[in-house]
Amino acid sequence: MFENLSERLSGVFDRLTKQGALSEEDVKTALREVRVALLEADVSLPVARDFVKAVQDKATGQAVTKSITPGQQVVKIVHDALIDTLKGEGEPGALKIDSPPAPILMVGLQGSGKTTTTAKLAKRLKDRDGKRVLMASLDVNRPAAMEQLAILGVQIGVDTLPIVKGENPVQIAKRAKTQASMGGYDVYMLDTAGRLSIDEELMRQVEAVRDVANPRETLLVVDGLTGQDAVQTAENFNDRIGISGVVLTRMDGDGRGGAALSMRAVTGKPIKFVGLGEKMDALETFEPERIAGRILG
Ligand code: GDP
């Protein structure tokens, strides 16, 4: 049975009798448990190591108030440090979509939930922010993916760029830009093709689209259940394409959330939204508190 971090730490501190300031040794003992908990939550080893080191510096010598136990004190320090690491600058979920029509580039691997997330985000921009949104699928190799976006568009009342056979992704991106300008749209979203794994052709294609579209936001959609693979994907896309944020999907599943921490630490880019189901309104702004809660158990 998985024992949560609070319980683990209470156990550790029950064995310690000291009162007042936590000694360095006490903190070390507790932080070993923190590290195990982070690794169990799927945080990568180097990130867990760095994180624990930062917490250790903060925790050493901090006075323990009478009302709480040392275990809780350490949990609080860890919790606050998690929030600090996870939170982005500015409002959660804020997007740079001034100066219409603002292009948003959606990138990610096939099956990550990219098309679903494109539509969810379009709906959110329309319903909450009153934006006029145009969506375009650039997945020329999978006609079914293009049709999927068109069907979702009808379902949520958001326009999609008409499908023209024989165009390449760059041509579609240019047409989307023209139509968005002429049609008075605030935002146009480019749903790029995915692959089952990262390959050179995918990256070249996304680069070419990025270069013509000059996106205001480049959002990487990753499956939150894939743990360390998701972190690797984020690192690759960020190095090659330069992302502005991440959308973590399938967070309605039982993933432990450690990937979020690793991703943030490795790419330096904020997680902006989380997908919480298949329905079109199952997209929420990323709340660091919730993920911290998941990681701490
Ligand atoms: P794409 O290949 O990346 O475009 O992936 P799709 O958007 O087609 O999504 C693949 C599957 O994942 C679909 O069945 C979606 O309904 C499902 N999906 C997407 N996002 C979520 C999510 O946040 N939670 C759950 N449970 N399913 C999701």
Side-chain angles (χ1 to χ4, degrees), residues 110 138-146 167 169 193-195 201 205:
Q110 191 175 316
L138 274 51
D139 200 345
V140 292
N141 298 322
R142 290 195 310 144
M146 296 185 123
E167 279 185 333
R195 294 278 194 287
E201 197 202 334
Q205 198 183 79

Side-chain angles (χ1 to χ4, degrees), residues 108-118 120 139 142 145 148 152 191-192 194 221 223 225 248-253 274-280 282-283:
L109 297 179
Q110 191 175 316
S112 59
K114 187 161 39 60
T115 299
T116 310
T117 302
T118 301
K120 285 177 178 177
D139 200 345
R142 290 195 310 144
Q148 185 194 348
L152 290 174
D191 181 17
T192 59
V221 179
D223 182 342
L225 293 181
L248 271 186
T249 63
R250 301 211 174 79
M251 293 306 280
D252 47 316
V274 292
L276 292 167
E278 303 203 26
K279 296 223 172 78
M280 282 296 108
L283 181 78

Side-chain angles (χ1 to χ4, degrees), residues 30-204:
L31 289 182
R32 266 197 290 279
E33 297 295 324
V34 173
R35 197 166 88 146
V36 172
L38 290 176
L39 294 175
E40 280 183 1
D42 220 3
V43 176
S44 58
L45 185 58
V47 172
R49 216 184 266 143
D50 288 354
F51 181 83
V52 165
K53 200 162 167 284
V55 169
Q56 180 165 354
D57 294 344
K58 254 191 212 166
T60 307
Q62 280 207 13
V64 181
T65 47
K66 282 192 191 110
S67 56
I68 54 171
T69 67
Q72 280 165 344
Q73 173 90 352
V74 173
V75 169
K76 187 178 180 310
I77 292 168
V78 171
H79 177 267
D80 293 350
L82 281 174
I83 306 271
D84 269 359
T85 308
L86 286 167
K87 73 168 187 253
E89 291 122 39
E91 284 287 296
L95 296 174
K96 287 197 214 85
I97 45 170
D98 43 342
S99 59
I104 300 181
L105 189 64
M106 305 294 289
V107 301
L109 297 179
Q110 191 175 316
S112 59
K114 187 161 39 60
T115 299
T116 310
T117 302
T118 301
K120 285 177 178 177
L121 188 54
K123 183 175 190 295
R124 182 186 163 96
L125 291 171
K126 172 177 81 98
D127 292 349
R128 292 176 45 122
D129 306 323
K131 300 284 184 196
R132 283 198 68 211
V133 183
L134 177 70
M135 304 188 292
S137 171
L138 274 51
D139 200 345
V140 292
N141 298 322
R142 290 195 310 144
M146 296 185 123
E147 274 150 35
Q148 185 194 348
L149 191 68
I151 291 165
L152 290 174
V154 171
Q155 195 183 317
I156 60 175
V158 168
D159 293 342
T160 47
L161 189 73
I163 298 170
V164 174
K165 290 212 172 75
E167 279 185 333
N168 66 36
V170 166
Q171 290 168 324
I172 301 174
K174 285 182 179 163
R175 189 158 55 87
K177 187 177 187 172
T178 307
Q179 174 139 347
S181 303
M182 294 198 329
Y185 290 91
D186 299 305
V187 174
Y188 65 101
M189 303 182 69
L190 302 173
D191 181 17
T192 59
R195 294 278 194 287
L196 291 174
S197 62
I198 289 173
D199 62 35
E200 190 50 32
E201 197 202 334
L202 167 69
M203 284 304 185
R204 276 217 205 102

